[in-house]
Amino acid sequence: MPLPRLGTRSVRFRTPAAAQVVLVGVLALAVAGTLLAVLAAGGRPGRAAGDGPRRITVEVSPSRCGRGWTRPEPGVQTFDLHNTSGTAAEVYLEDPATKEVFGEVEGIGPGTTRQLTVRLGTGTYAFACVPDDADAVTGPRVHVTGGRRGPGAAPVTQHDLIPPALAYQKWVGAGLGDVVRLTARLRSAIDGGDLAAARSAWLPAHLRYERLGAAYDAFGDADARINGTDAGLPDGVRDRDFTGFHRIEYGLWHGEPAARLRAPAAALVRAVTGLRDGWAATRMDPAGLGLRAHEILEDTVQFELTGRTDYGSGSGLATARADLDGTGAVLSRLRPLLTTRYAGLPGLDEDMERARRTLDGFRHGARWTPLGDLTRAQRERTDAAVGGLVERLASVATLCDPRRTV
């Protein structure tokens, strides 16, 4: 998978505008990934201090990979990676003995130049050029003397990601069983005409589904039936294709009678039951696990914290808190890989706890403060806590991206 792969996002966001937001967000993450050394340190990409980094032009091609770096020096340096071949390529700067990666750039097109900035110190380096649809090659080894080099990260392989992916998939299977049980309770309340009980039952069922965040891509079309919105539908909330949790939410909080909600409730139970029953035969892509951890809260910022997915229940902050739990479930499976690769992991843990405390402050028993009732200061604090966490999680996506090796 390139860094990071432009994978399919949750299909619950079905508007063209949403798709554009997704693409921009992932492209921004890819740009951030060119400074792998900075991300591995737990910081944010930035310009080097002083007079600026030294500039060196390096060739990218199967026959001349890494050529042009003839006077190695310690310190911050920018490499102009010029692709002289006829196909696009990824480039890694690595320790050829340990394969530790200090920087990488993806998608360097034929005849184009991309930049890579790293801090070099005592050690041996080589560029690895990975053309599309061709074998990877390693350029000449270059020895640097003096100075302290920036942090690197041991590459993650597809094989490394299989155990956490399997563990996560098993956890999702158990969660789907809970979703079926809770949606059946919701349906029972609606069938019995007890709309107050239905409103009480709606939120636990919806939040349990939201916590399965990183599996949305594997859910496929079922996710649209279960958690879709009316975005892009010709008749909006009256459209026949507006189904699932949000369809029922709209009815429960807009005065619809139980008779009009029985069919949507029955359809929701069928959808989640079918998803649960077929889950054992589903295979999640291990390569996407790190990226999904980032996407969960990226979606939260774009949708839950803007109120775009609130159809009357005022539960956007509760959903954001469930999304945070979902992110934590992914990170707990990836932690063995991150512990030895991500120096910023303690900071990530602190940011996760800060976001939890912030969101938990809006919970009052079974009731949550509606997003629209937040003061400006509360809104800014919430956006900062979750938004900062999204930036941290971009590093997780980068560091857990499987790389092709020579």
mmCIF file of all heavy atoms in Angstrom, residues 297-313:
data_model
loop_
_atom_site.group_PDB
_atom_site.id
_atom_site.type_symbol
_atom_site.label_atom_id
_atom_site.label_comp_id
_atom_site.label_asym_id
_atom_site.label_seq_id
_atom_site.Cartn_x
_atom_site.Cartn_y
_atom_site.Cartn_z
ATOM 1 N N LEU A 297 -11.625 9.480 13.498
ATOM 2 C CA LEU A 297 -11.771 10.786 14.120
ATOM 3 C C LEU A 297 -11.718 11.919 13.100
ATOM 4 O O LEU A 297 -12.236 13.007 13.366
ATOM 5 C CB LEU A 297 -10.711 10.981 15.200
ATOM 6 C CG LEU A 297 -10.922 10.136 16.457
ATOM 7 C CD1 LEU A 297 -9.909 10.492 17.520
ATOM 8 C CD2 LEU A 297 -12.339 10.307 17.012
ATOM 9 N N GLU A 298 -11.119 11.686 11.950
ATOM 10 C CA GLU A 298 -11.199 12.677 10.880
ATOM 11 C C GLU A 298 -12.663 12.874 10.478
ATOM 12 O O GLU A 298 -13.135 13.992 10.287
ATOM 13 C CB GLU A 298 -10.365 12.223 9.684
ATOM 14 C CG GLU A 298 -10.247 13.258 8.577
ATOM 15 C CD GLU A 298 -9.440 12.748 7.409
ATOM 16 O OE1 GLU A 298 -9.634 11.576 7.010
ATOM 17 O OE2 GLU A 298 -8.610 13.513 6.900
ATOM 18 N N ASP A 299 -13.384 11.751 10.353
ATOM 19 C CA ASP A 299 -14.822 11.829 10.065
ATOM 20 C C ASP A 299 -15.577 12.509 11.205
ATOM 21 O O ASP A 299 -16.534 13.261 10.979
ATOM 22 C CB ASP A 299 -15.387 10.433 9.846
ATOM 23 C CG ASP A 299 -15.021 9.849 8.491
ATOM 24 O OD1 ASP A 299 -14.491 10.600 7.649
ATOM 25 O OD2 ASP A 299 -15.252 8.646 8.276
ATOM 26 N N THR A 300 -15.170 12.233 12.437
ATOM 27 C CA THR A 300 -15.831 12.834 13.594
ATOM 28 C C THR A 300 -15.759 14.358 13.528
ATOM 29 O O THR A 300 -16.751 15.052 13.776
ATOM 30 C CB THR A 300 -15.173 12.340 14.900
ATOM 31 O OG1 THR A 300 -15.281 10.914 14.975
ATOM 32 C CG2 THR A 300 -15.843 12.947 16.123
ATOM 33 N N VAL A 301 -14.581 14.877 13.193
ATOM 34 C CA VAL A 301 -14.406 16.323 13.086
ATOM 35 C C VAL A 301 -15.283 16.888 11.967
ATOM 36 O O VAL A 301 -15.913 17.935 12.116
ATOM 37 C CB VAL A 301 -12.923 16.664 12.838
ATOM 38 C CG1 VAL A 301 -12.753 18.134 12.474
ATOM 39 C CG2 VAL A 301 -12.098 16.333 14.076
ATOM 40 N N GLN A 302 -15.345 16.188 10.846
ATOM 41 C CA GLN A 302 -16.063 16.693 9.677
ATOM 42 C C GLN A 302 -17.576 16.570 9.798
ATOM 43 O O GLN A 302 -18.308 17.380 9.220
ATOM 44 C CB GLN A 302 -15.599 15.939 8.426
ATOM 45 C CG GLN A 302 -14.155 16.198 8.053
ATOM 46 C CD GLN A 302 -13.693 15.313 6.903
ATOM 47 O OE1 GLN A 302 -14.493 14.581 6.325
ATOM 48 N NE2 GLN A 302 -12.420 15.368 6.589
ATOM 49 N N PHE A 303 -18.033 15.579 10.544
ATOM 50 C CA PHE A 303 -19.471 15.299 10.543
ATOM 51 C C PHE A 303 -20.109 15.433 11.925
ATOM 52 O O PHE A 303 -21.037 16.226 12.097
ATOM 53 C CB PHE A 303 -19.723 13.910 9.957
ATOM 54 C CG PHE A 303 -19.279 13.802 8.528
ATOM 55 C CD1 PHE A 303 -18.025 13.291 8.209
ATOM 56 C CD2 PHE A 303 -20.098 14.231 7.504
ATOM 57 C CE1 PHE A 303 -17.603 13.205 6.888
ATOM 58 C CE2 PHE A 303 -19.688 14.152 6.180
ATOM 59 C CZ PHE A 303 -18.442 13.642 5.872
ATOM 60 N N GLU A 304 -19.653 14.684 12.902
ATOM 61 C CA GLU A 304 -20.288 14.744 14.223
ATOM 62 C C GLU A 304 -20.107 16.114 14.878
ATOM 63 O O GLU A 304 -21.045 16.670 15.458
ATOM 64 C CB GLU A 304 -19.745 13.646 15.131
ATOM 65 C CG GLU A 304 -20.496 12.334 15.028
ATOM 66 C CD GLU A 304 -20.359 11.682 13.651
ATOM 67 O OE1 GLU A 304 -19.218 11.557 13.173
ATOM 68 O OE2 GLU A 304 -21.398 11.298 13.068
ATOM 69 N N LEU A 305 -18.910 16.681 14.822
ATOM 70 C CA LEU A 305 -18.658 17.943 15.502
ATOM 71 C C LEU A 305 -19.135 19.157 14.706
ATOM 72 O O LEU A 305 -18.971 20.296 15.154
ATOM 73 C CB LEU A 305 -17.165 18.075 15.834
ATOM 74 C CG LEU A 305 -16.638 17.060 16.852
ATOM 75 C CD1 LEU A 305 -15.192 17.360 17.217
ATOM 76 C CD2 LEU A 305 -17.508 17.012 18.106
ATOM 77 N N THR A 306 -19.707 18.925 13.547
ATOM 78 C CA THR A 306 -20.350 20.009 12.792
ATOM 79 C C THR A 306 -21.865 19.877 12.813
ATOM 80 O O THR A 306 -22.568 20.731 12.280
ATOM 81 C CB THR A 306 -19.878 20.007 11.330
ATOM 82 O OG1 THR A 306 -20.217 18.753 10.723
ATOM 83 C CG2 THR A 306 -18.383 20.244 11.236
ATOM 84 N N GLY A 307 -22.372 18.797 13.408
ATOM 85 C CA GLY A 307 -23.811 18.578 13.474
ATOM 86 C C GLY A 307 -24.424 18.039 12.199
ATOM 87 O O GLY A 307 -25.650 17.914 12.095
ATOM 88 N N ARG A 308 -23.608 17.648 11.229
ATOM 89 C CA ARG A 308 -24.141 17.214 9.934
ATOM 90 C C ARG A 308 -24.845 15.860 10.003
ATOM 91 O O ARG A 308 -25.593 15.508 9.095
ATOM 92 C CB ARG A 308 -23.010 17.171 8.900
ATOM 93 C CG ARG A 308 -22.497 18.556 8.533
ATOM 94 C CD ARG A 308 -21.254 18.499 7.673
ATOM 95 N NE ARG A 308 -21.522 17.900 6.370
ATOM 96 C CZ ARG A 308 -20.567 17.709 5.450
ATOM 97 N NH1 ARG A 308 -19.321 18.058 5.712
ATOM 98 N NH2 ARG A 308 -20.874 17.164 4.288
ATOM 99 N N THR A 309 -24.588 15.085 11.056
ATOM 100 C CA THR A 309 -25.238 13.780 11.173
ATOM 101 C C THR A 309 -26.230 13.740 12.331
ATOM 102 O O THR A 309 -26.588 12.656 12.796
ATOM 103 C CB THR A 309 -24.180 12.669 11.346
ATOM 104 O OG1 THR A 309 -23.313 13.012 12.435
ATOM 105 C CG2 THR A 309 -23.359 12.500 10.079
ATOM 106 N N ASP A 310 -26.670 14.897 12.786
ATOM 107 C CA ASP A 310 -27.654 14.948 13.873
ATOM 108 C C ASP A 310 -29.036 15.148 13.270
ATOM 109 O O ASP A 310 -29.311 16.171 12.641
ATOM 110 C CB ASP A 310 -27.321 16.101 14.818
ATOM 111 C CG ASP A 310 -28.243 16.151 16.037
ATOM 112 O OD1 ASP A 310 -29.191 15.332 16.089
ATOM 113 O OD2 ASP A 310 -28.006 16.993 16.910
ATOM 114 N N TYR A 311 -29.922 14.178 13.484
ATOM 115 C CA TYR A 311 -31.283 14.248 12.953
ATOM 116 C C TYR A 311 -32.314 14.460 14.054
ATOM 117 O O TYR A 311 -33.452 14.044 13.921
ATOM 118 C CB TYR A 311 -31.587 12.998 12.143
ATOM 119 C CG TYR A 311 -30.885 13.014 10.801
ATOM 120 C CD1 TYR A 311 -29.572 12.576 10.688
ATOM 121 C CD2 TYR A 311 -31.516 13.502 9.663
ATOM 122 C CE1 TYR A 311 -28.905 12.612 9.466
ATOM 123 C CE2 TYR A 311 -30.861 13.543 8.437
ATOM 124 C CZ TYR A 311 -29.565 13.098 8.349
ATOM 125 O OH TYR A 311 -28.898 13.150 7.134
ATOM 126 N N GLY A 312 -31.874 15.105 15.134
ATOM 127 C CA GLY A 312 -32.831 15.490 16.156
ATOM 128 C C GLY A 312 -32.511 15.014 17.553
ATOM 129 O O GLY A 312 -33.027 15.563 18.526
ATOM 130 N N SER A 313 -31.674 13.991 17.695
ATOM 131 C CA SER A 313 -31.411 13.435 19.026
ATOM 132 C C SER A 313 -30.450 14.288 19.841
ATOM 133 O O SER A 313 -30.370 14.120 21.059
ATOM 134 C CB SER A 313 -30.843 12.022 18.895
ATOM 135 O OG SER A 313 -29.562 12.052 18.278
#
